[in-house]
Structure formats: C-alpha cells, structure tokens
Amino acid sequence: KIFWSNGDACYYTDHGRLAVCTGSSIHLRWYQAKWVGWALVEICTDYPVTRPFYAFAFPSQAKIGYKGAMKIPKRIQPLVDNGLVDEVIRRLMSGKEADVYVVRCGSEIRCAKVYKEAVNRSFKQAVLYQEGRKVRNSRRGRAMEKGSKFGRKQQEETWQTAEVDALHRLANAGVRVPQPYLCLDGVLLMELIINEEGDVAPRLCDVEMCAQQALEDHAVVMQYVVRMLCAGLVHGDLSEFNVLVDENGPVIIDLPQAVNAAENNNAESMLARDVDNMTRYYGHYAPELLDSRYAKEIWALYEDGELHVETKLTGTFEESTQAADVDAVMEVITAAFVEEQERLERLSEAEL
C-alpha cells in the first residue's frame, strides 16, 4: 500500500512495515513502524531510518506521519477545496460542542475543530455564557435579541468566532493555548499539541503525576487563570478534560464559551467553578491543595483592582467580619432613584 509518493520515490507499507522504492528499483529493506490508528508515530530504532523519508515527508514533525486518509467530512470539504487542508487523517475526538480531526496542511499536521450546530450541541445553558458579548453591528445585535432566523445565524457565528478571539487574547496575555490559523464556515484550523514523543498530547485527566508535579502544575494553571482574568476573560468550562499536557506543561483548550469578566453577571461563579475543578483534580495527588481558597483570593484582588499578570497567589483568603452598612447602601440607592427621576422630568419638559 502506497504511503507516500513524490514522483522520485514511493514509500510502501506492508503489515506495519515500511519500504522505499526509488526509480525502478525497490530497496528490500523494511523498517518496523509503530502505528496508532491511521497515524505513524514512530519508526523502531532497531532498524535503519532513511533521512529522505523524514526530510521530505514531515520536516518539522518527523515523528508524525500517516498511512492513509479518511473520507473528508462535509464541513471540512470547503477547506480542502480552497487548498487550506490537503487530507483528513483521522478523527481525534468528539465533544459536546465540536468534533476534532487531525489534518494535513502541506507538510504540517494540524487539527480542525468542526463546531456542531446549535441544535446538535449538548452544551448546557449557553445563554449564560453569551451574556455581555459585544456585537459591533447594531442590526445584528437586534436580530440576535429577537431570535429571528438571521439572528440565530449571527448568534452561531458569534459563538464560533469567540474561541478564535479568546485564543489570540490569551496568547498575548502569556497563557499557553493552541495557535489558531483561521476559522472558516464553522471550522477552526489550529495547532496540534504534541508531546515529546511526537504523539498527540494527552488530556490532563489521562496523566498520572507525583505530588510535587501536581503542586507545580496547579500553580501554573492558577497563574493562567489570573492572566485570563487580567485579559478580561473567564474560561467558564475549565477542568481536567480541557487541559492538555506536553513536555512544557499544561495547555488550555476549548474556549468558545469564554465569558467577559466585566460584563457577565455569572463571571464570579464561573471562575470559582473553574478554579475549584482544577484544585480538586490536582488535590487527588497533592491533598494539601484541597484546603486552599484560590478562587476567593483571585476574585477579591480583581474586584479591588489589585490583580496583575505577575500576582503571587497564596491560596488563602479571610472573609470580612465587618457588618454591612445598610443605611449607606440605601442612601446610594435613593440618590440614584432621585437622579433618574430628575432626568426623566427634563426629557418630558423638552418634548413639550
């Protein structure tokens, strides 16, 4: 079975082995290959490896290859037609809001995230995440509020492009996220995160670690949460299932539901859930984390305007024991009410 051909040489596979044919002669030297599904992840070092194979096939990712391509999904076909994707290698995963595929773009191996349509998504209470998202075009904004057919289409596009915007903002803020390349017709083409062996990087939920590693990685993730909040965003669905781990540590993924921290009334509770999810998971390996109060500490610093990208967290927080000044609060409410009434009276007089 032909694995690769460039006109000068063909690469053949047979029962997991690899052979090379150059010109009219076949080199009867077989190289034992390790396959995972449709992906060639390694060539056994007990056998000689030809430099031309690596140099031509995948110069920047020598450990990743493929032995065939799957049928192109309908949603990815436009990217193939436009020359943005050459082949779809395999489906990597299927989630509640998207399917992810491993694809080849020239000599690069990337991933294509195909967003599911709203009727097929199982992401619960999406409206809570969309609160506070700005729409520049007022016509689109009104249509989205009314829920018209055009408005639903715009709502869908906003949901899909939100992840691209979030990825760029977080990368600029110093958070490790996959690099996005483009988003077309509901398909996000982005970097494929791999580990040091060249395999697709595992999710955090599939990684075992010692207590010290758990403490170190938890500190990194908390710093990422801080940087996200400083960039004005809360992940909203952060857990061990939405973090990949490569040789350099955690990588944050899955951001279409990221919320505007200043405009969304649910931002505080979502941040608390994100932080608690991560702390609970790392706490399985480092139990001392279970008594920490990072969520309270981070949000209090944010509300006081004292949260910065390099803020050193302690994991401690003391609740205020000072009684609320109800009279002062009522005075502010009354003053605001009087001011609003005066404004309405002025508008009424102007109309007369």
Side-chain angles (χ1 to χ4, degrees):
K1 182 176 180 179
I2 293 180
F3 170 76
W4 187 277
S5 174
N6 66 353
D8 297 323
C10 291
Y11 298 84
Y12 294 88
T13 61
D14 176 54
H15 301 295
R17 299 178 299 169
L18 183 70
V20 183
C21 171
T22 56
S24 59
S25 63
I26 296 179
H27 295 261
L28 299 178
R29 297 173 65 185
W30 292 91
Y31 307 95
Q32 191 64 36
K34 175 184 175 184
W35 305 90
V36 176
W38 288 102
L40 171 64
V41 297
E42 182 181 342
I43 295 179
C44 182
T45 55
D46 293 338
Y47 294 76
V49 177
T50 57
R51 179 66 180 174
F53 166 73
Y54 278 122
F56 174 75
F58 299 100
S60 64
Q61 297 189 39
K63 284 285 188 177
I64 294 184
Y66 59 98
K67 63 177 180 179
M70 65 176 284
K71 181 180 178 180
I72 298 172
K74 182 179 179 180
R75 297 279 299 282
I76 298 180
Q77 188 63 53
L79 279 74
V80 175
D81 295 339
N82 288 317
L84 301 171
V85 170
D86 293 298
E87 288 180 305
V88 179
I89 299 172
R90 67 184 177 98
R91 184 159 72 173
L92 182 60
M93 63 166 291
S94 179
K96 55 191 173 185
E97 84 272 354
D99 293 323
V100 181
Y101 297 86
V102 178
V103 300
R104 181 175 68 83
C105 306
S107 62
E108 297 290 328
I109 301 298
R110 298 174 178 173
C111 67
K113 184 172 185 177
V114 181
Y115 293 101
K116 295 179 179 178
E117 297 180 354
V119 293
N120 298 320
R121 280 202 303 264
S122 59
F123 199 92
K124 298 179 180 179
Q125 298 179 310
V127 65
L128 298 180
Y129 296 85
Q130 295 167 344
E131 178 185 315
R133 289 186 177 178
K134 303 294 184 182
V135 180
R136 295 179 181 177
N137 187 300
S138 59
R139 175 173 173 264
R140 292 181 180 178
R142 290 192 299 270
M144 289 165 63
E145 290 177 0
K146 293 179 179 178
S148 64
K149 182 178 179 180
F150 174 74
R152 291 194 298 272
K153 179 181 178 182
Q154 295 304 309
Q155 191 80 55
E156 195 67 14
E157 290 182 1
T158 300
W159 177 267
Q160 295 166 0
T161 58
E163 182 160 24
V164 181
D165 296 338
L167 288 170
H168 285 297
R169 288 174 66 178
L170 296 187
N172 292 334
V175 179
R176 291 195 68 214
V177 294
Q179 179 184 351
Y181 297 110
L182 61 88
C183 187
L184 178 66
D185 294 335
V187 180
L188 172 58
L189 192 62
M190 58 183 172
E191 174 189 8
L192 179 67
I193 304 298
I194 60 175
N195 61 18
E196 56 187 354
E197 286 81 27
D199 300 327
V200 176
R203 294 183 300 175
L204 177 60
C205 61
D206 298 320
V207 176
E208 296 287 336
M209 67 190 78
C210 63
Q212 183 58 38
Q213 189 64 58
L215 290 171
E216 292 176 3
D217 285 2
H218 178 268
V220 170
V221 173
M222 291 301 102
Q223 196 62 52
Y224 287 166
V225 170
V226 167
R227 292 178 181 179
M228 281 191 262
L229 194 51
C230 289
L233 294 176
V234 173
H235 187 289
D237 193 33
L238 189 60
S239 72
E240 65 271 24
F241 302 101
N242 291 330
V243 177
L244 301 180
V245 182
D246 65 8
E247 66 269 25
N248 296 313
V251 180
I252 307 299
I253 62 170
D254 289 341
L255 289 150
Q257 74 292 319
V259 303
N260 186 316
E263 301 291 337
N264 193 303
N265 291 319
N266 306 291
E268 181 180 1
S269 62
M270 290 181 182
L271 180 130
R273 185 178 59 195
D274 286 352
V275 172
D276 290 345
N277 283 343
M278 301 310 301
T279 300
R280 190 181 306 111
Y281 182 79
Y282 285 113
H284 291 315
Y285 302 97
E288 57 265 42
L289 289 172
L290 298 176
D291 294 326
S292 62
R293 306 191 69 186
Y294 284 97
K296 290 281 188 181
E297 179 187 12
I298 292 171
W299 193 261
L301 291 170
Y302 173 70
E303 284 191 322
D304 293 340
E306 298 179 359
L307 189 69
H308 308 288
V309 292
E310 299 302 332
T311 295
K312 301 298 181 182
L313 301 175
T314 65
T316 60
F317 177 77
E318 293 184 7
E319 299 283 357
S320 175
T321 58
Q322 183 178 355
D325 190 342
V326 179
D327 292 337
V329 173
M330 290 304 299
E331 288 179 4
V332 173
I333 294 175
T334 301
F337 178 76
V338 171
E339 182 180 347
E340 177 64 11
Q341 290 298 113
E342 293 175 349
R343 186 184 71 84
L344 294 174
E345 288 177 5
R346 289 195 298 272
L347 291 175
S348 179
E349 292 174 357
E351 291 177 357
L352 295 176

